Amino acid sequence: MDYIYVAVGLLCLFLGGEALVRGSVGIAQRLAISPLLIGLTVVGFGTSMPELLVSIEAAWRGVPDIAVGNIVGSNIANIALIMGITALVWPIHVPGATLRRDTGVMILAAVALVPIFMTGQIGRPAGMMLLAGLIGYLVWAYLQPGDMTEDDALGAEKPKALVSVLWVVAGFVALLFGARFLVDGAVSIARDAGLSEAFIGLTIVAVGTSLPELATSVVAAFRRQSEIAIGNVIGSNIFNVFGILGITAVIQPIPVAGRFMTFDLPVMIALSLAITALLLTRPVIGRPMGLVLLAGYVGYVVLAQG
């Protein structure tokens, strides 16, 4: 039965990713705003909803290693695994100046966790500070949304607003159900194999809840929507730290195991810096770099078992 859950979850995630990209691109066209901004907000935050649900549930159930590992592991998977696979599907064409602001916020969010993790707990005051960071970022992104590209401005006939909204809603629903089925099956399989809760959170659960981002980014790559693919990953990483950890900590303070500070968080910060350097210095992230990112993720999973 666990394997059936995994299969159903994967199918729901793929269909949800297709619906979410279709609807969000339509919204971007109707509102005449940058698809990158849509990717950073509507898509990036929407595909992070499974992480939010899983982290809150894990915190309530008294398994904080899964709650924290889910977020840190998801951010690592978003960069190394998802960007790697997306680049293999179709080379990612990097958008312009707006990206500099958003990658900077992603790095700031990652670094902000250092003093918090050093205390050994994410308490309610820290949670409220993280949420304040999210609100500030959203206001900033809205006030400086970036320019429309010529293709965006002169693109094909704009879809109807209601149709686009329905696609987005349907995508969210499919992603949420898909993530729940997948995580339930994967966690049960992993525990039967005798793996630790921290490792489950960092890998099995993190990849499971990141599959909406994977499905959305791969579908965006097939549809030649690089802005959606990149914005989805960056926006999700920002929301995971500021939004999900913030909300979870306000609801239920989360103890932080020492391994996250000494190993997993430094990996997350290093990858955030590395992908920022790539995005700001290369016009295209091609298949060779995609293979490098994937190899890096495999190496991390091997080391994380220790």
Side-chain angles (χ1 to χ4, degrees):
M1 181 61 76
D2 292 331
Y3 292 97
I4 295 176
Y5 282 167
V6 169
V8 172
L10 287 171
L11 178 61
C12 288
L13 290 172
F14 180 80
L15 295 177
E18 167 66 22
L20 194 60
V21 170
R22 186 185 296 272
S24 59
V25 170
I27 291 172
Q29 292 174 338
R30 293 295 302 183
L31 299 179
I33 61 177
S34 166
L36 178 62
L37 181 59
I38 290 292
L40 287 161
T41 54
V42 175
V43 180
F45 295 177
T47 55
S48 289
M49 287 298 105
E51 282 94 337
L52 176 60
L53 296 177
V54 169
S55 288
I56 291 176
E57 186 174 352
W60 274 111
R61 289 186 179 183
V63 282
D65 285 353
I66 289 183
V68 178
N70 175 38
I71 301 306
V72 176
S74 289
N75 280 19
I76 291 171
N78 283 348
I79 295 172
L81 179 65
I82 293 176
M83 290 288 283
I85 292 176
T86 304
L88 287 178
V89 170
W90 189 262
I92 302 171
H93 293 270
V94 180
T98 307
L99 192 62
R100 189 172 296 109
R101 173 200 67 207
D102 302 301
T103 51
V105 175
M106 178 180 66
I107 293 172
L108 175 63
V111 173
L113 291 181
V114 173
I116 296 175
F117 278 21
M118 288 179 68
T119 66
Q121 184 182 52
I122 309 172
R124 289 190 174 91
M128 288 186 285
M129 290 177 61
L130 291 173
L131 285 176
L134 176 63
I135 294 170
Y137 167 70
L138 289 176
V139 172
W140 189 21
Y142 178 77
L143 294 177
Q144 301 178 345
D147 298 327
M148 291 286 290
T149 63
E150 183 177 355
D151 289 340
D152 298 327
L154 303 177
E157 182 181 354
K158 297 179 177 63
K160 293 182 179 179
L162 179 60
V163 173
S164 296
V165 171
L166 289 176
W167 276 118
V168 169
V169 172
F172 281 168
V173 172
L175 290 173
L176 290 173
F177 276 102
R180 174 58 60 88
F181 278 120
L182 182 68
V183 170
D184 285 348
V187 168
S188 179
I189 293 169
R191 282 184 171 168
D192 288 343
L195 300 173
S196 70
E197 289 178 351
F199 182 71
I200 292 173
L202 286 160
T203 55
I204 306 297
V205 174
V207 172
T209 56
S210 289
L211 279 175
E213 285 91 337
L214 175 59
T216 301
S217 290
V218 169
V219 170
F222 272 120
R223 294 168 62 88
R224 311 294 188 266
Q225 291 287 343
S226 293
E227 298 93 337
I228 296 289
I230 295 174
N232 173 40
V233 168
I234 296 174
S236 177
N237 279 18
I238 293 170
F239 186 68
N240 282 347
V241 174
F242 284 150
I244 294 175
L245 276 182
I247 293 171
T248 305
V250 168
I251 295 174
Q252 178 70 35
I254 315 168
V256 179
R259 65 156 294 161
F260 293 113
M261 183 63 207
T262 58
F263 178 64
D264 304 296
L265 182 59
V267 170
M268 187 181 102
I269 294 173
L271 282 174
S272 298
L273 292 169
I275 199 65
T276 296
L278 285 176
L279 292 172
L280 296 182
T281 58
R282 291 171 176 257
V284 177
I285 298 178
R287 291 185 175 93
M289 187 53 62
L291 287 173
V292 171
L293 290 171
L294 284 176
Y297 186 73
V298 171
Y300 165 73
V301 171
V302 171
L303 294 174
Q305 296 183 62

